[in-house]
Amino acid sequence: MIVGNWKMNLTIHEASLYVHKLASKVKGHRNVEVVLAPSLLSLPTLSLQVERRQFKLAAQNFYWQDEGAFTGEISAHQLRGLVEYAIIGHSERRHIFGEHDKDIRAKVQAAVRHSLTPILCVGETAHERTAGETNGVLHDQVVGGLANLTAEEVAGIVIAYEPVWAIGTGNNATPADVENAVKLIRRQVEHLYGGDIAASVRILYGGSVSADNASSYLTTPGVDGLLPGGSSLKADEFSAIVEAAHKAGKK
Ligand code: PGA
């Protein structure tokens, strides 16, 4: 699974042109699910434009209430039908917009309630890493994000390990770091919901992923895909990452 997080980039018109270009470059492979997370503004246009067998769509954010007096917000209920996935708990939401585990948990529940698959992002800051707190942070974010879900609901979700220090810095984590973190996350899910559920949860890596380093993660045990940000905005590079996933999946 490859999820391109475009963040706050591209106007509606630019997004539409970009998807047109991307569609000719990204080959449809049955073993790779390709998901695009454009700005919310572009979703209605792109949801009509994309061929769902080639690209699925994700929301980058939403509010957990279904409707009401929440100026400026949009809900999972309103996203229904436009997107299949929703990114929840991205470090930029946690650190720039002050979202906490309880907000993230409410969003995960709202997504599931409206049949959107959560892509729950977890990851430690540089400071937490230096202080040796990585395992504790991942534990708290996984438990905090998934609490109140049934085993059946957890089975379908996606978790992304995104160490904050690796995002947008060019300082990507080593495959060994990613392997350890992914093992820990899966063990945590297993502890809460059992081995079968833990095996079915897809776990991605994100943080300065590029066409050059993608294969090293895609061949790392336990990693089911990638969540590139910056490199998802370059059509050649993004399609090369999808190709790398296709090749890794065949092995
Ligand atoms: P990056 O972003 O690939 O630009 O580091 C990843 C992310 O924030 O999901």
Side-chain angles (χ1 to χ4, degrees):
M1 179 180 200
I2 305 294
V3 184
N5 177 10
W6 297 1
K7 309 192 180 184
M8 197 173 71
N9 293 294
L10 307 184
T11 64
I12 300 171
H13 183 62
E14 286 165 348
S16 179
L17 288 176
Y18 178 68
V19 164
H20 184 71
K21 184 169 164 195
L22 205 58
S24 66
K25 289 185 183 286
V26 171
K27 296 200 189 70
H29 293 302
R30 254 186 294 177
N31 67 346
V32 188
E33 186 171 5
V34 183
V35 181
L36 306 176
S39 98
L40 292 167
L41 282 175
S42 301
L43 282 175
T45 304
L46 296 191
S47 80
L48 296 174
Q49 185 179 341
V50 297
E51 161 60 64
R52 287 300 214 270
R53 270 173 309 188
Q54 187 175 27
F55 300 128
K56 303 266 183 0
L57 293 174
Q60 294 177 19
N61 184 39
F62 63 90
Y63 188 53
W64 59 271
Q65 292 270 16
D66 286 352
E67 58 187 11
F70 304 103
T71 301
E73 295 295 327
I74 62 125
S75 67
H77 172 58
Q78 292 171 312
L79 285 168
R80 210 182 169 136
L82 285 177
V83 297
E84 284 85 356
Y85 290 94
I87 298 175
I88 301 174
H90 189 278
S91 76
E92 286 146 22
R93 300 296 321 167
R94 291 180 193 262
H95 300 291
I96 302 175
F97 300 101
E99 287 186 15
H100 297 290
D101 282 336
K102 76 168 175 18
D103 309 298
I104 290 158
R105 173 159 63 244
K107 289 184 176 196
V108 169
Q109 283 177 262
V112 167
R113 199 163 63 236
H114 291 288
S115 308
L116 311 182
T117 301
I119 301 173
L120 172 65
C121 300
V122 298
E124 80 286 2
T125 62
H127 179 74
E128 289 161 342
R129 180 178 167 82
T130 315
E133 293 168 359
T134 300
N135 292 5
V137 169
L138 295 180
H139 168 273
D140 291 353
Q141 292 181 350
V142 170
V143 173
L146 299 184
N148 304 337
L149 294 190
T150 65
E152 201 184 18
E153 287 164 346
V154 172
I157 82 155
V158 180
I159 299 177
Y161 172 56
E162 296 217 312
V164 181
W165 47 270
I167 296 177
T169 58
N171 182 19
N172 51 302
T174 65
D177 279 339
V178 174
E179 185 174 355
N180 282 338
V182 164
K183 226 184 253 167
L184 195 109
I185 292 166
R186 218 180 281 283
R187 216 180 301 131
Q188 196 52 53
V189 177
E190 183 176 352
H191 184 69
L192 293 168
Y193 297 99
D196 289 351
I197 304 293
S200 71
V201 166
R202 283 174 291 175
I203 306 184
L204 317 179
Y205 167 69
S208 298
V209 167
S210 66
D212 290 338
N213 64 30
S215 304
S216 65
Y217 302 113
L218 291 162
T219 51
T220 294
V223 175
D224 299 303
L226 298 170
L227 177 40
S231 57
S232 71
L233 290 165
K234 301 172 206 144
D236 285 334
E237 185 155 22
F238 188 68
S239 56
I241 294 172
V242 173
E243 274 312 296
H246 171 57
K247 283 202 192 103
K250 281 203 302 192
K251 284 189 187 138

